[in-house]
Amino acid sequence: MYAEVIVDVAAYPIDRPFDYLVPEQYRELIESGSRVKVPFGNRQVLGFVTALKSETDVPTDKQKPIGELLDIEPVLTQEMLEMTKWLKRHTLCYEIDALQVMLPSALRAKYEKILGIVDHNVDLPQSVQALFQQREHVELKVDESKELLSLIKKLVKEDILSLETSIKQKTAVKKVRMIHIESDLERLKTVYDSISNQAKKQKDVVKWMMDHPGERIVSADLLKQLSTTNAVLQAVIEKGAATLQMEEIYRDPYADRTMDKTTKLALTNEQHLALSEIIDSYDKQEAKTFLLHGITGSGKTEVYLQAIERALLDDLEAIVLVPEISLTPQMTNRFKERFGSLVAVLHSGLSTGEKYDEWRKIKRGEVKVVVGARSAIFAPFQNVGIIILDEEHEGTYKQDDSPRYHARDVAIWRSEYHNCPVILGSATPSLESYARAKKGNYTLLTLANRPKEQALPEVSVVDMREQLKNGNRSMFSLELAEAINVRLDKQEQMVLFLNRRGHSSFVLCRDCGTVVECPNCDISMTYHRHQEKIKCHYCGEESQVPHTCPECSSEHIRFFGTGTQKVEEEIARLFPAARVLRMDVDTTRKKGSHEHILKLFGEGKADILLGTQMIAKGLDFPNITLVGVLSADTTLHLADFRAAEKTFQLLTQVSGRAGRHDKAGEVIVQTYTPEHYAIQFAQHHDFVPFYNQEMMNRKQFLYPPFTYVVLIQITHEDVLMTAEYAHKAANWLRDNLTDQSEIIGPTASSISRLQNRYRYQCLIKYKKEPTLPEVLQQLTRMYRTDWMKKGILMSIDLNPSSIM
DNA sequence: AGCACGCCGACT
DNA sequence: GTCGGCGTGCTC
């Protein structure tokens, strides 16, 4: 018996199955989808069994047996194995990357080099002895000095030391010491009597146990409750009053929270119509994709909940994706409230262990609904009944490193596998999805009204050029300042939005015009006043604020541009009575701080919630009556064909935060380009006219959804090398693709250097290009066999979410 | 001769 | 990706 194994090595010639002999003792147990340890070259690596067979073409002298079978229950389902092949083809990634992306990171291998002493008669050199410090075995870290490493290598060769790789799972299953108390009271009594009166503590413990016969309790809890020590407990166990067992437990991030269960809400006609179309298709077991276009506050979530309820009736499972879920506890809570313990939550705020435990609950079918961010689309359910992507237009559904998959594509693939519907929901659908819905590839469902018929908030656009002309140089227009004062008087809440964190976005010398740039990236450093530092938002570089110009030594250094920190200060100056909560990457770094800020705001502990785009989505507080967008221009002028679309989406989403309940909402948008159609249409909540206008632009410049694009990015530490290979790539594409494709570039990327690597890119635009998969595969091969060795890094992104 | 370093190819 | 093998060139 042989197993085809994909080994945990990402390299071009390795990117295929290797055949291994299955040892006798594993023949009954092994299944495809299990992890194994295998000898590979002269080391041990982790691998995934993708198939079993009785024959092989591999000559006998090259056949090696599997070292160890790691899973009795395979970690990969058959569906995942099929999905892997599809992912590999469609994202041009290594098969091993496709496999690993479907599993929680806890299951990834952790390789350790273990150094041991073989010959004790040899005196080891001082430096090696220091490493061992009397121990028999130590872990050898790669960051030891070169001299030491080569010395060790020599000693290993001479058989004085031994070097082995150990493979461990990154995070283990959490276990607790569980005490099982003897259930036979008589026997407990006997034990009690047998304990000498001197062992008072032991008597106490057994006495307590006699009140709790047959119960189970976690060892630590028992010790705490009886304020005793492990020694006492051990003695009691030895006498037979209880037994100790290691038991698996789940780390539960929601352990200390209780929630009131909610029941179905009554649906509006529109909601009902949408739901019955979905359920119809569900009943027919169609793999149909719905685009649920519902204005903000129109009750999309209730439609999701009731569609899921239908699937649960048949004991099928549901996957719900939300964009970066930890940002929207309000959203996850709605699922927890409706479906209680049937819900697993997967998001980036959980620890590796917590994610692993949620994953195991899903795998074992202990939960039926998973709510999670992008990677939750790989939830290991076996009987999926419905898949939902909320805010389907969000860029976070596209993974921006290998494998560069889009959760929407995976969702549709899985829906075809399980014959179940997919619901894509949004108030501002992506142009791609809306175009597909109009063409009939997706089924369009529309919710044009809010359930309680609340009006959409009034949006006014303020021309900041006029403010400047009238002598107002503040970042608050008169209109916005007035509106803020009104809310402060009425004790209503506000959300202020600015898509830029930090204090000032650049530091400029007024004498020579120098802007302080990051030493590793071609990007200006942002001033952060709280730590009195300047930071690069791309690579994390930090340094002291210069007091003189690094170029000309002038002291006329000034800070320009506005970030959330500066706005916070301005609010304190202009509205001293206002209580402000700032929410951006800088204030939400700690685990749970996100929820904490929102909780404070929900309890009315602040008047103003000031933040970056993380506050644009999902907030639902009844007392918010004003939303202020301090500058709508930040996203509008990016060098990306989706800039207008992103701006429209953002404005519509933030506007939706106001007036969701009884009180009417107002939105004030400040901009230097009020005439721009994205701002105009967002002002009037006009998605369809915006869509039509934007489609005309896309058509004119041949951008998606009229074409498909592929972004190819080349980076290297040396500019000339970067440019050279970018040209090579572009020329190769021009020579090999048909003239149905347009190849743009190479050009320097808009951030031309990042983390000390220069960046060039080219773009392929095509409507139909039958040769594309083949050509890209060949380009990848050239890169992996040849260019990589020269330090070039190349990435190919099909349907990139941004071309910057 | 003895070894450091870089390049090449193999890995079931 | 990571190892060993092998060639080149430098040093004692």
Side-chain angles (χ1 to χ4, degrees):
Chain A
M1 190 189 205
Y2 299 93
E4 290 187 5
V5 175
I6 300 291
V7 294
D8 182 16
V9 176
Y12 175 69
I14 310 304
D15 191 27
R16 60 182 182 85
F18 283 76
D19 292 352
Y20 281 88
L21 265 164
V22 179
E24 195 62 51
Q25 76 263 34
Y26 293 144
R27 290 201 184 161
E28 298 286 311
L29 282 166
I30 199 163
E31 282 180 68
S32 55
S34 295
R35 290 171 307 153
V36 285
K37 270 187 211 175
V38 287
F40 192 72
N42 48 355
R43 61 204 162 116
Q44 297 283 319
V45 294
L46 186 90
F48 293 90
V49 177
T50 54
L52 293 164
K53 55 189 186 184
S54 53
E55 311 257 310
T56 180
D57 302 333
V58 177
T60 344
D61 60 311
K62 284 198 173 178
Q63 291 178 12
K64 289 186 188 174
I66 285 170
E68 193 182 333
L69 176 65
L70 295 171
D71 306 301
I72 298 171
E73 176 69 17
V75 291
L76 295 159
T77 59
Q78 287 307 306
E79 180 192 4
M80 286 166 155
L81 290 171
E82 276 183 46
M83 200 158 31
T84 304
K85 291 180 202 141
W86 170 81
L87 252 188
K88 180 181 179 180
R89 241 195 346 272
H90 287 263
T91 67
L92 298 159
C93 66
Y94 292 114
E95 197 160 336
I96 187 69
D97 286 343
L99 285 166
Q100 306 246 49
V101 79
M102 299 184 192
L103 298 173
S105 60
L107 288 177
R108 288 212 191 133
K110 191 176 139 205
Y111 296 93
E112 269 174 10
K113 289 185 173 173
I114 305 293
L115 201 58
I117 305 174
V118 177
D119 192 341
H120 290 271
N121 301 322
V122 181
D123 281 332
L124 294 172
Q126 197 59 51
S127 56
V128 178
Q129 272 189 28
L131 209 63
F132 275 97
Q133 293 181 334
Q134 312 298 325
R135 286 168 295 184
E136 264 302 291
H137 298 275
V138 285
E139 186 194 342
L140 182 63
K141 305 232 171 72
V142 267
D143 55 3
E144 300 288 356
S145 73
K146 259 188 179 167
E147 298 88 65
L148 186 61
L149 285 178
S150 63
L151 180 62
I152 286 167
K153 222 174 174 178
K154 211 184 90 196
L155 292 168
V156 171
K157 228 177 186 166
E158 293 166 13
D159 266 341
I160 295 163
L161 295 179
S162 67
L163 192 57
E164 276 172 62
T165 40
S166 95
I167 310 175
K168 273 197 221 137
Q169 189 169 312
K170 246 189 177 162
T171 310
V173 170
K174 192 172 176 180
K175 293 194 174 156
V176 285
R177 299 156 62 86
M178 188 71 81
I179 307 295
H180 291 246
I181 300 167
E182 171 62 54
S183 51
D184 187 342
L185 247 173
E186 280 307 305
R187 227 181 288 168
L188 277 174
K189 183 91 177 63
T190 321
V191 173
Y192 183 80
D193 293 336
S194 76
I195 299 171
S196 100
N197 285 328
Q198 281 186 307
K200 194 169 172 305
K201 274 287 179 190
Q202 288 186 34
K203 285 215 141 184
D204 288 350
V205 171
V206 180
K207 178 120 196 151
W208 183 87
M209 284 178 169
M210 284 161 74
D211 292 335
H212 304 265
E215 285 183 22
R216 301 166 39 218
I217 183 167
V218 177
S219 164
D221 292 346
L222 184 140
L223 296 181
K224 204 169 163 194
Q225 202 171 327
L226 300 179
S227 52
T228 182
T229 61
N230 198 37
V232 175
L233 182 60
Q234 283 307 319
V236 169
I237 287 170
E238 237 157 73
K239 295 192 169 87
T243 54
L244 174 94
Q245 262 168 27
M246 295 308 283
E247 268 177 36
E248 269 185 34
I249 56 154
Y250 293 128
R251 308 161 180 91
D252 188 359
Y254 288 85
D256 49 357
R257 234 163 300 180
T258 47
M259 276 177 205
D260 298 331
K261 221 160 172 175
T262 60
T263 45
K264 289 194 212 198
L265 302 178
L267 296 183
T268 64
N269 282 342
E270 279 181 336
Q271 284 175 315
H272 186 77
L273 219 66
L275 181 66
S276 50
E277 272 214 52
I278 294 163
I279 288 181
D280 246 25
S281 147
Y282 167 87
D283 284 336
K284 289 185 204 145
Q285 302 199 6
E286 292 175 319
K288 211 167 169 180
T289 305
F290 293 92
L291 178 63
L292 179 60
H293 176 209
I295 58 167
T296 54
S298 60
K300 291 185 289 290
T301 312
E302 190 58 31
V303 175
Y304 304 155
L305 289 167
Q306 298 198 17
I308 293 170
E309 216 161 279
R310 180 67 191 83
L312 293 182
L313 277 181
D314 294 332
D315 209 27
L316 297 184
E317 299 129 349
I319 299 173
V320 183
L321 296 193
V322 293
E324 197 36 80
I325 192 172
S326 63
L327 311 186
T328 56
Q330 287 189 328
M331 180 78 180
T332 54
N333 286 351
R334 283 195 67 181
F335 287 85
K336 284 246 166 195
E337 282 162 4
R338 187 68 59 90
F339 303 117
S341 57
L342 287 178
V343 182
V345 179
L346 284 171
H347 63 82
S348 64
L350 304 180
S351 70
T352 336
E354 285 167 343
K355 278 187 221 157
Y356 179 39
D357 289 352
E358 295 291 298
W359 185 87
R360 284 190 298 145
K361 284 188 212 163
I362 300 164
K363 185 97 203 305
R364 294 172 172 179
E366 292 170 15
V367 293
K368 295 289 171 193
V369 181
V370 53
V371 182
R374 179 180 61 234
S375 63
I377 194 57
F378 297 112
F381 280 139
Q382 314 249 20
N383 304 292
V384 179
I386 191 158
I387 304 175
I388 292 159
L389 262 87
D390 189 36
E391 312 284 0
E392 70 84 33
H393 62 277
E394 277 296 321
T396 51
Y397 286 129
K398 181 76 195 280
Q399 174 145 314
D400 57 13
D401 54 324
S402 175
R404 297 173 191 273
Y405 68 93
H406 198 297
R408 190 203 294 136
D409 302 333
V410 181
I412 292 170
W413 189 94
R414 292 196 76 178
S415 88
E416 282 163 7
Y417 187 91
H418 291 278
N419 290 312
C420 73
V422 176
I423 311 175
L424 309 175
S426 178
T428 51
S430 62
L431 285 218
E432 280 97 327
S433 293
Y434 201 78
R436 278 183 207 151
K438 286 195 89 173
K439 264 180 77 183
N441 295 349
Y442 299 165
T443 307
L444 185 64
L445 304 170
T446 309
L447 303 179
N449 300 292
R450 293 176 154 189
K452 288 171 216 147
E453 314 250 307
Q454 309 98 320
L456 283 164
E458 195 67 40
V459 180
S460 44
V461 174
V462 179
D463 186 346
M464 291 305 276
R465 293 171 302 191
E466 292 297 317
Q467 299 284 320
L468 206 60
K469 261 187 229 159
N470 296 333
N472 177 11
R473 297 183 56 189
S474 139
M475 59 190 82
F476 294 97
S477 60
L478 295 178
E479 288 85 343
L480 183 57
E482 169 63 19
I484 292 174
N485 278 322
V486 169
R487 298 309 182 294
L488 288 173
D489 281 346
K490 289 207 281 191
Q491 302 201 341
E492 291 174 351
Q493 289 179 298
M494 300 156 256
V495 168
L496 292 183
F497 175 82
L498 179 68
N499 210 359
R500 200 178 266 146
R501 66 195 180 90
H503 186 274
S504 306
S505 44
F506 58 101
V507 182
L508 176 118
C509 167
R510 288 174 66 158
D511 281 337
C512 71
T514 300
V515 173
V516 180
E517 289 197 341
C518 172
N520 313 316
C521 313
D522 272 343
I523 205 88
S524 54
M525 302 278 276
T526 303
Y527 171 55
H528 283 239
R529 177 162 289 179
H530 286 276
Q531 300 125 306
E532 199 55 25
K533 280 209 171 117
I534 51 173
K535 293 185 188 177
C536 171
H537 284 183
Y538 287 83
C539 74
E541 172 83 19
E542 283 186 21
S543 58
Q544 293 304 315
V545 182
H547 294 290
T548 57
C549 172
E551 288 298 317
C552 72
S553 305
S554 155
E555 287 177 8
H556 296 139
I557 285 242
R558 293 291 180 276
F559 304 119
F560 289 88
T562 303
T564 44
Q565 288 181 11
K566 190 160 162 186
V567 176
E568 193 178 19
E569 284 174 19
E570 278 293 291
I571 294 172
R573 200 170 60 82
L574 296 170
F575 314 98
R579 297 163 302 163
V580 186
L581 279 170
R582 179 163 61 91
M583 189 154 140
D584 53 33
V585 179
D586 301 300
T587 61
T588 52
R589 232 175 278 272
K590 265 206 340 243
K591 193 176 168 176
S593 50
H594 222 287
E595 269 193 281
H596 181 68
I597 293 174
L598 292 181
K599 190 164 161 270
L600 289 177
F601 191 65
E603 288 167 353
K605 300 265 166 62
D607 309 298
I608 300 177
L609 180 66
L610 162 68
T612 54
Q613 53 185 329
M614 66 172 69
I615 62 170
K617 280 163 277 184
L619 298 188
D620 189 356
F621 295 112
N623 203 26
I624 299 176
T625 59
L626 172 68
V627 167
V629 178
L630 291 165
S631 168
D633 305 296
T634 10
T635 49
L636 198 51
H637 305 299
L638 296 174
D640 194 288
F641 69 87
R642 277 190 247 263
E645 187 184 352
K646 289 271 163 270
T647 306
F648 178 85
Q649 287 165 351
L650 204 58
L651 289 178
T652 308
Q653 298 288 343
V654 266
S655 303
R657 298 312 114 212
R660 293 175 71 95
H661 295 261
D662 308 333
K663 294 176 188 162
E666 183 188 0
V667 179
I668 295 177
V669 176
Q670 302 188 153
T671 172
Y672 286 91
T673 44
E675 64 283 353
H676 195 284
Y677 65 94
I679 292 173
Q680 289 289 319
F681 287 129
Q683 178 177 13
H684 300 108
H685 311 285
D686 277 341
F687 174 77
V688 176
F690 170 78
Y691 167 81
N692 290 329
Q693 169 79 49
E694 182 66 10
M695 283 297 267
M696 273 164 48
N697 291 352
R698 300 285 177 91
K699 190 170 185 178
Q700 190 185 347
F701 296 103
L702 293 175
Y703 274 116
F706 286 95
T707 56
Y708 295 102
V709 301
V710 178
L711 179 70
I712 293 160
Q713 193 147 54
I714 306 270
T715 73
H716 193 275
E717 285 173 13
D718 180 74
V719 217
L720 294 174
M721 281 288 280
T722 317
E724 187 190 330
Y725 279 83
H727 275 102
K728 270 193 189 174
N731 289 338
W732 197 84
L733 290 169
R734 287 200 173 94
D735 290 345
N736 288 279
L737 289 173
T738 66
D739 52 14
Q740 297 181 67
S741 305
E742 186 190 351
I743 292 133
I744 302 168
T747 48
S749 300
S750 67
I751 298 166
S752 60
R753 189 175 51 123
L754 198 68
Q755 310 228 44
N756 280 320
R757 299 185 71 89
Y758 290 87
R759 294 145 48 93
Y760 270 71
Q761 63 188 43
C762 33
L763 203 64
I764 311 171
K765 286 202 247 176
Y766 66 98
K767 271 192 152 157
K768 245 199 189 123
E769 179 56 90
T771 61
L772 190 80
E774 182 54 28
V775 170
L776 288 181
Q777 224 148 64
Q778 282 181 41
L779 178 66
T780 309
R781 186 151 96 209
M782 252 161 49
Y783 158 65
R784 288 180 185 168
T785 51
D786 211 21
W787 303 4
M788 242 167 108
K789 289 176 192 137
K790 301 188 167 70
I792 297 279
L793 286 180
M794 180 180 82
S795 75
I796 300 181
D797 193 344
L798 287 103
N799 310 318
S801 67
S802 130
I803 55 166
M804 290 193 45

